[in-house]
Amino acid sequence: MMNRDHPLSLQCFWLWLPLLLCALPLSGAQPKPQSQPLGDHVVKNAAVPVILRGVSAEMTTSTDQVVVLQIDLVSDTEASAPLADDLAFFVRRNYLEEGYLRADVEWKLEGKNVVLVIHEGIRQHVDKTSFVGNPNLDVEELRGYLLRPTRERVGKFSSTIPYVQREINEGRLLVLRYVLSQGYADARIDPPLPDHHADGTTNVNVTIHPGLQWHVGTVQVAGVPALMAETTQAQALTLQGQPLNEARIENMRRQIEGQIQARGYFIGKVSYTTSRAPGQLLNIQFTATPGSLYSVSDIHLDPKFSRGATRLVRTSFRSSVGRAYDSQRMENYYNRIIDIGIFEHLEMEPQVTGDGQLSLNFTGEEAKRVTVALSGGYDTFQGPILGVEYRNVNWMDSGNTLTANLLGTGLGFQAGVQWRNPAIFDSPYALSLGVKPETFTFEGYTRETLAVRAAVSRDITKRLSTEVYVEGSTNKVKSDTLTEDEIGPKKYDVSLAGLSLVYEGRDNPVSPRKGFSSRATVESGRVSGTTKSLQYTHTDFAVSYYQPISTKWRAAVGAHFASVISNEEIDDIPIELRVYNGGAKGVRSFGERELGPKARDGTPLGGTQSQVVSGEIAYEIATNLELAGFVDAGSLQGREKGSVLPSFDDIHYAAGLGLRYRLPFGPLRVDYGVNLNRHEGEPIGALHIGFGFAF
């Protein structure tokens, strides 16, 4: 079945760090001083009046909770001997769990009150732990397993660990499992021996009898289909030489079994046998019984599905009928439908219908067809951002999507209407048609554009997609300060055709932590309506790689190259068709588009070729909040002819710090980059605020 805090400043972090470190549990930490008993304490919110006599301040809250809970469970409303006896029993048990090993609780009735007389004694806390016979395993790992049951109850930030014999015994079993997982197949562990001290500390001594350490010897896989034999054998060999671990062997068995079933051997099974060999080695034999190769015979859909939803499911999975069941291919089809947005949730259940035959049964719930969404934000380039979008994911019950949007920013307005057929002619290809008017005012000029676009796209694999498109636009540029050589033609038409290829291998495209992605776009266009007929080619290539170093640390690198290659000089290329550098996704010591030549009024004029390479290392200082350090290196060629290959002349360097707060739609990012090789007239650095990663 398939189913689909406010940012902390660095200064505050360093101020709080010593306090946080003091709060961490440390081996050998001294227990808190024993609290002095209070006088009579009346339990609050109890249905029966209960007085605690001799309870200390630190035990008041938990004891009150035990009393109230027990009275509520038995629903008593009057004091009685049986109730008092039960309360004394549960209160004493609570004291034992909190480390009061000699606690005693007596009860008596005084009028309508239950009186519990408590003799707490000394509270014991775990201090030192020793592991006699430890076969060179990590002592902190062993201590962690031994104290885990108690730590899970009291919380990981508690500075002391109360000694509770029952929980220590449970921890002993966890220690044993850990030792066994390291290949000590005959290991046994004696019951822990406590050494209680009068000051309330308890040392726990554990004796380990590890025996000999066993390792995995030869590993063989038999019975798998021929096409899988080489890969499954190589996969199983990763166990060879490792310390014997039954859980790891079982995981490998399940993995091989799952791969066999995913290839269409739907009822395939895998078992394993072991045999001991000299030198403390354990040989493993995996044996597969694949059974018949199952093919998809038909598709059954919930009759409640709309006509449009039915069309999309049938179109997506139609090519699987008559072919061997392949879970990877099915997952690709399934993800394609989910990404369209027509389903709230969709379930696919393969069902055996006969010898070697499967039926794909689909059930689920369709999403709301029409949604209207408001959006807002701010970034340092566009300024304030406010938008509204209308979306119909099943327009006229066809399975097609109709989208209309209006977006206003500090630089202008843009609107758009797009119709998209996710399965044109019931094929794996999608067709989209759109029109978009736009106004854009930046520094010393204003551009007005009306563009139409048609595109055909396809998801080739789960991670690889492509798009072919054509676009036409009419453009008008106005400026009171820029010359014609600086701004290029003021009125022109553009017609172009392009091809893009995207590989998305990151774990999350909008908020990645690991993985690789790349994008390549090539456009060929023509500028008309001017005194010169301009032919140009625009290229854009980008790669990024994210890699976690630990649970808190993450590293990333990225590169972006863009160029415009023309048969004319740059002065004849419209200012908006040129390439730029600087900004939140460029060299971050410059503002948006600010790296490179400028007009007399300070307007960036762009160039023919841009390149930037970036590296970043980030540390998670709080949940979803990262502090990052970054470096950028890049340049912009202004007057030279563009080239597909990157140029490393006149490189500018930047280094800086930033904060990233992860949100469902991408991180809120604040960066400040410092200009490391500042030239005369260039800024010292630049601040960038916006959403999304730099690469």
Side-chain angles (χ1 to χ4, degrees):
M1 177 177 293
M2 300 175 68
N3 275 312
R4 278 263 263 191
D5 282 289
H6 294 287
L8 300 176
S9 70
L10 182 62
Q11 181 181 6
C12 291
F13 172 70
W14 290 114
L15 288 173
W16 281 98
L17 182 60
L19 299 179
L20 291 173
L21 291 174
C22 291
L24 294 176
L26 302 173
S27 176
Q30 293 302 310
K32 297 177 181 177
Q34 304 290 330
S35 298
Q36 296 301 313
L38 303 175
D40 286 0
H41 169 74
V42 179
V43 177
K44 299 177 181 178
N45 302 321
V48 177
V50 177
I51 298 174
L52 304 179
R53 190 167 292 161
V55 65
S56 61
E58 68 176 348
M59 287 298 294
T60 299
T61 300
S62 66
T63 307
D64 281 2
Q65 291 171 347
V66 169
V67 170
V68 172
L69 176 62
Q70 294 306 317
I71 293 176
D72 289 346
L73 288 175
V74 299
S75 301
D76 282 5
T77 57
E78 295 181 354
S80 65
L83 174 63
D85 191 60
D86 286 347
L87 292 177
F89 171 80
F90 286 108
V91 167
R92 182 175 183 274
R93 191 176 73 173
N94 178 59
Y95 267 88
L96 293 176
E97 290 184 349
E98 293 296 334
Y100 292 86
L101 305 183
R102 298 175 180 83
D104 186 33
V105 182
E106 302 171 353
W107 64 268
K108 56 185 176 179
L109 301 178
E110 294 183 357
K112 296 182 178 181
N113 300 323
V114 173
V115 178
L116 300 179
V117 182
I118 302 171
H119 307 282
E120 291 184 341
I122 295 177
R123 187 180 193 182
Q124 300 295 138
H125 294 80
V126 177
D127 186 15
K128 298 177 182 178
T129 52
S130 64
F131 298 91
V132 179
N134 173 25
N136 295 321
L137 299 179
D138 190 294
V139 173
E140 288 304 314
E141 285 273 359
L142 295 171
R143 177 182 171 89
Y145 284 114
L146 183 67
L147 303 181
R148 178 181 287 181
T150 306
R151 176 63 72 191
E152 289 178 347
R153 178 173 60 84
V154 302
K156 62 180 180 179
F157 292 114
S158 176
S159 60
T160 56
I161 304 294
Y163 175 84
V164 181
Q165 184 175 346
R166 172 179 54 81
E167 293 174 341
I168 292 295
N169 285 331
E170 292 174 3
R172 163 186 166 270
L173 298 179
L174 297 179
V175 172
L176 177 59
R177 287 172 55 185
Y178 173 66
V179 175
L180 291 171
S181 73
Q182 301 306 302
Y184 297 92
D186 304 314
R188 59 185 178 86
I189 298 179
D190 293 344
L193 299 176
D195 182 11
H196 303 303
H197 298 162
D199 62 356
T201 59
T202 295
N203 297 332
V204 181
N205 305 304
V206 180
T207 300
I208 302 174
H209 304 280
L212 297 175
Q213 186 180 30
W214 291 79
H215 289 77
V216 176
T218 61
V219 183
Q220 297 293 328
V221 181
V224 299
L227 290 175
M228 303 177 59
E230 185 175 345
T231 56
T232 53
Q233 179 65 51
Q235 187 177 340
L237 282 175
T238 60
L239 294 174
Q240 193 167 315
Q242 303 235 2
L244 179 62
N245 185 321
E246 290 187 4
R248 194 178 295 136
I249 298 172
E250 173 60 18
N251 286 340
M252 181 63 70
R253 184 200 68 78
R254 292 179 180 177
Q255 195 171 342
I256 297 173
E257 185 175 274
Q259 291 173 349
I260 290 174
Q261 294 175 356
R263 287 296 189 96
Y265 298 89
F266 200 69
I267 60 173
K269 298 294 181 183
V270 174
S271 60
Y272 73 88
T273 56
T274 61
S275 60
R276 294 193 174 190
Q280 288 76 57
L281 297 177
L282 192 77
N283 299 330
I284 305 172
Q285 170 84 38
F286 292 99
T287 303
T289 309
S292 300
L293 180 63
Y294 278 74
S295 299
V296 178
S297 60
D298 55 7
I299 299 172
H300 292 160
L301 284 83
D302 191 325
K304 294 184 298 183
F305 286 172
S306 67
R307 180 166 58 90
T310 298
R311 168 188 166 238
L312 293 182
V313 175
R314 286 198 179 278
T315 299
S316 295
F317 285 88
R318 182 175 55 193
S319 62
S320 65
V321 176
R323 299 174 64 181
Y325 178 87
D326 187 316
S327 66
Q328 183 63 60
R329 188 169 63 248
M330 299 302 165
E331 183 180 359
N332 292 343
Y333 297 158
Y334 176 86
N335 290 337
R336 180 180 174 219
I337 295 176
I338 292 300
D339 290 343
I340 294 170
I342 197 170
F343 284 100
E344 185 71 30
H345 68 86
L346 179 66
E347 298 177 357
M348 185 191 78
E349 184 70 44
Q351 183 176 355
V352 176
T353 57
D355 186 21
Q357 297 293 310
L358 286 175
S359 173
L360 302 181
N361 300 322
F362 291 89
T363 58
E365 181 181 351
E366 292 186 41
K368 186 178 180 180
R369 290 194 183 187
V370 177
T371 57
V372 178
L374 295 175
S375 61
Y378 176 87
D379 75 25
T380 46
F381 178 53
Q382 299 184 81
I385 304 169
L386 184 62
V388 59
E389 180 184 80
Y390 165 92
R391 180 184 292 269
N392 188 325
V393 295
N394 194 3
W395 186 56
M396 299 179 65
D397 200 17
S398 62
N400 301 330
T401 299
L402 182 68
T403 305
N405 60 67
L406 177 64
L407 182 69
T409 73
L411 300 179
F413 295 90
Q414 67 180 44
V417 177
Q418 184 189 69
W419 171 87
R420 186 174 189 271
N421 185 335
I424 187 69
F425 304 127
D426 294 336
S427 73
Y429 295 90
L431 171 66
S432 62
L433 305 172
V435 58
K436 183 174 75 172
E438 179 183 10
T439 65
F440 177 80
T441 299
F442 178 64
E443 298 286 352
Y445 69 94
T446 297
R447 171 180 53 83
E448 298 174 354
T449 297
L450 177 62
V452 293
R453 188 177 192 270
V456 175
S457 59
R458 181 179 180 180
D459 293 333
I460 301 173
T461 67
K462 178 181 179 181
R463 302 191 180 279
L464 186 64
S465 62
T466 187
E467 181 181 61
V468 178
Y469 57 92
V470 293
E471 184 176 317
S473 68
T474 180
N475 305 267
K476 187 176 181 180
V477 181
K478 302 175 184 178
S479 176
D480 295 329
T481 59
L482 300 180
T483 67
E484 189 171 334
D485 287 343
E486 291 172 332
I487 203 171
K490 292 187 176 182
K491 190 174 182 180
Y492 59 93
D493 300 323
V494 177
S495 55
L496 64 87
L499 169 67
S500 70
L501 194 64
V502 177
Y503 178 84
E504 184 52 76
R506 296 173 296 183
D507 56 345
N508 185 331
V510 298
S511 189
R513 294 183 185 274
K514 66 179 297 184
F516 172 82
S517 72
S518 64
R519 180 188 76 250
T521 302
V522 179
E523 294 177 351
S524 179
R526 179 175 180 269
V527 178
S528 58
T530 66
T531 57
K532 294 182 180 180
S533 180
L534 176 70
Q535 305 284 341
Y536 73 92
T537 299
H538 179 263
T539 63
D540 194 298
F541 304 103
V543 295
S544 65
Y545 179 70
Y546 291 78
Q547 178 62 48
I549 302 173
S550 68
T551 57
K552 293 288 188 179
W553 290 93
R554 170 186 62 78
V557 293
H560 182 203
F561 311 106
S563 70
V564 55
I565 306 169
S566 170
N567 61 325
E568 300 291 344
E569 298 297 326
I570 188 172
D571 297 341
D572 298 315
I573 302 175
I575 193 169
E576 280 295 295
L577 290 183
R578 303 169 192 170
V579 296
Y580 294 86
N581 205 333
K585 294 182 178 293
V587 178
R588 281 169 278 184
S589 56
F590 291 85
E592 197 74 30
R593 300 188 173 191
E594 296 290 334
L595 193 160
K598 296 181 176 64
R600 286 174 297 176
D601 67 352
T603 301
L605 298 178
T608 58
Q609 188 164 327
S610 169
Q611 42 271 315
V612 61
V613 178
S614 301
E616 180 174 295
I617 187 165
Y619 178 78
E620 189 175 46
I621 57 178
T623 303
N624 292 325
L625 179 64
E626 292 182 338
L627 174 67
F630 61 85
V631 293
D632 301 322
S635 65
L636 180 76
Q637 276 64 54
R639 308 298 305 181
E640 301 86 349
K641 292 283 187 179
S643 170
V644 175
L645 299 176
S647 171
F648 297 98
D649 296 334
D650 194 22
I651 296 293
H652 287 70
Y653 299 95
L657 292 175
L659 290 171
R660 289 94 174 86
Y661 186 74
R662 292 180 183 267
L663 298 167
F665 49 83
L668 170 62
R669 180 162 61 97
V670 180
D671 284 339
Y672 188 86
V674 177
N675 196 336
L676 296 182
N677 58 334
R678 181 188 177 202
H679 299 171
E680 184 178 353
E682 291 181 347
I684 297 174
L687 175 69
H688 307 281
I689 302 173
F691 291 93
F693 281 107
F695 46 84

